[in-house]
Amino acid sequence: MLLLVNLCSKWTVRYTTGMYDLAIVGGGPAGVAAGVYAARKKLKTVFIAEIIGGQSTDSQDIQNWIGTQHISGMALAKELEVHLRAYAADVVDIKIGERAEKLEKIEEAGTTHFLISTAQAQYTAKAVLVATGGTRKKLQAKGADVFENKGVTYCASCDGPLFGGQDVAVVGGGNAGFETAAQLLAYCKSVTLVHRHNDFARADAATVDAVLAHPNMRVVKNAEPVEVKGDMFVKALTVKDVTTGTLTDLPVAAVFVEIGMLPNTNWVKEVVALDEIGRVSIDSKNQRTSVEGIWAAGDVTDGLYHQNNIAAGDAVKALEDIYYWVKKKAPTGAAAVAPAPAPESALQ
């Protein structure tokens, strides 16, 4: 069905599709893992993503993607797309270049389904997997954009080992900042954490104490980064004392930024429950959200840890649950499906 939609006083054509079993929204490791599993389970699926690869496309050298020693973010994105398309066939309908703008829960004739709107189309599905990830807050300091991927990095797990034996800085005094510092201390010569406040109220005391006890750990409090300096790569981070205005150059080879993430949840905020910072609240046993028929996986959730491998695993967990849920909803006369196995009997 074609719809005429008035966008900024310009008429455009938006089409509405038939009913899918599942809509997967997001093209990172979570979304792609879900897409592959949906294809193998023969769930009629629409896969909606602006790009394939998610945040990983920003990393120059990923060393923790299991089964691959080294791979760039862009190369990983290509591998993910190849894998998805190899299984998609006529089961997974891939829509790249579309951004989900709104999710609606539709109740009619005693049934419930979901409507996902993009600028190009509207998709209807019995179930939805939200895997739209998040966007890391960028360091607002002179030169930070110039040296991104040249020493300024937003992923310690991806890029940290590249700076083994060198002096590095971490910007951010929350749990993420201290966890990143702890990871870097395993192989860096020294780690200097830059924090704009005088205390670490946003971090767990036990984690703070353990990290600060390390002999190679340094802290600069009441300071904010104002400039990243270097030539081809980072050479120093200039910080300003927020009370005195004094500028100090910290000689470092890398700056790891951990100042928070903005989850991409605007399009679902009217439907599912979010936590205080806008992440989708989930049941970690099965990735279900507050609304029956909607699951979430990856950085978009309030899960405790966020990594590529974790995102992919959580998406697979969700797909197992989604499969049995969708089949339970199958109309009378559809092929019978065995109930989900008990946890102790699940063998992969």
Side-chain angles (χ1 to χ4, degrees), residues 228-249:
V228 180
K229 297 178 178 178
D231 38 49
M232 291 184 64
F233 298 95
V234 170
K235 297 295 183 183
L237 175 66
T238 303
V239 299
K240 181 176 73 173
D241 187 301
V242 297
T243 57
T244 67
T246 302
L247 299 177
T248 303
D249 280 353

Side-chain angles (χ1 to χ4, degrees), residues 28-292:
V32 173
V36 170
Y37 267 68
R40 292 172 63 86
K41 290 180 178 295
K42 304 300 181 182
L43 289 176
K44 186 59 180 176
T45 300
V46 60
F47 180 97
I48 306 166
E50 289 186 272
I51 62 169
I52 297 288
Q55 295 180 65
S56 295
T57 57
D58 293 332
S59 296
Q60 295 299 299
D61 187 22
I62 298 170
Q63 300 180 2
N64 64 335
W65 182 244
I66 301 303
T68 304
Q69 287 184 309
H70 295 272
I71 190 168
S72 71
M74 293 304 297
L76 176 61
K78 290 179 181 178
E79 291 294 325
L80 290 173
E81 184 168 359
V82 167
H83 196 170
L84 176 61
R85 291 190 182 280
Y87 286 96
D90 60 350
V91 179
V92 177
D93 192 2
I94 300 173
K95 303 292 184 180
I96 306 299
E98 296 191 32
R99 179 184 180 89
E101 297 177 343
K102 187 176 183 181
L103 174 66
E104 298 173 76
K105 181 179 178 181
I106 308 297
E107 296 178 337
E108 56 187 14
T111 64
T112 299
H113 64 271
F114 301 95
L115 180 68
I116 300 100
S117 298
T118 73
Q120 294 86 355
Q122 291 183 313
Y123 303 96
T124 55
K126 301 172 188 175
V128 177
L129 176 67
V130 180
T132 40
T135 304
R136 288 188 178 271
K137 292 181 181 178
K138 295 291 187 176
L139 181 62
Q140 300 300 308
K142 182 180 178 181
D145 56 341
V146 175
F147 289 102
E148 188 165 333
N149 296 322
K150 298 176 183 178
V152 172
T153 175
Y154 295 84
C155 183
S157 296
C158 306
D159 303 327
L162 300 174
F163 300 95
Q166 300 182 68
D167 299 307
V168 302
V170 173
V171 179
N175 276 330
F178 276 93
E179 288 165 6
T180 291
Q183 179 179 334
L184 295 171
L185 284 167
Y187 37 77
C188 291
K189 182 180 178 182
S190 74
V191 177
T192 300
L193 186 141
V194 178
H195 184 44
R196 67 173 62 243
H197 302 295
N198 191 49
D199 57 34
F200 303 108
R202 292 171 48 244
D204 295 331
T207 302
V208 172
D209 292 344
V211 172
L212 294 186
H214 197 287
N216 297 332
M217 183 69 195
R218 310 283 184 270
V219 173
V220 180
K221 298 180 182 180
N222 296 316
E224 59 182 11
V226 293
E227 185 175 2
V228 180
K229 297 178 178 178
D231 38 49
M232 291 184 64
F233 298 95
V234 170
K235 297 295 183 183
L237 175 66
T238 303
V239 299
K240 181 176 73 173
D241 187 301
V242 297
T243 57
T244 67
T246 302
L247 299 177
T248 303
D249 280 353
L250 306 175
V252 294
V255 179
F256 293 85
V257 184
E258 292 290 353
I259 55 177
M261 179 179 291
L262 301 173
N264 296 324
T265 54
N266 277 341
W267 68 285
V268 299
K269 65 183 181 181
E270 302 299 328
V271 180
V272 300
L274 307 179
D275 71 3
E276 66 278 3
I277 58 175
R279 300 175 302 184
V280 179
S281 299
I282 53 137
D283 180 339
S284 60
K285 295 191 299 296
N286 50 32
Q287 305 300 123
R288 293 190 181 197
T289 71
S290 61
V291 175
E292 184 178 1

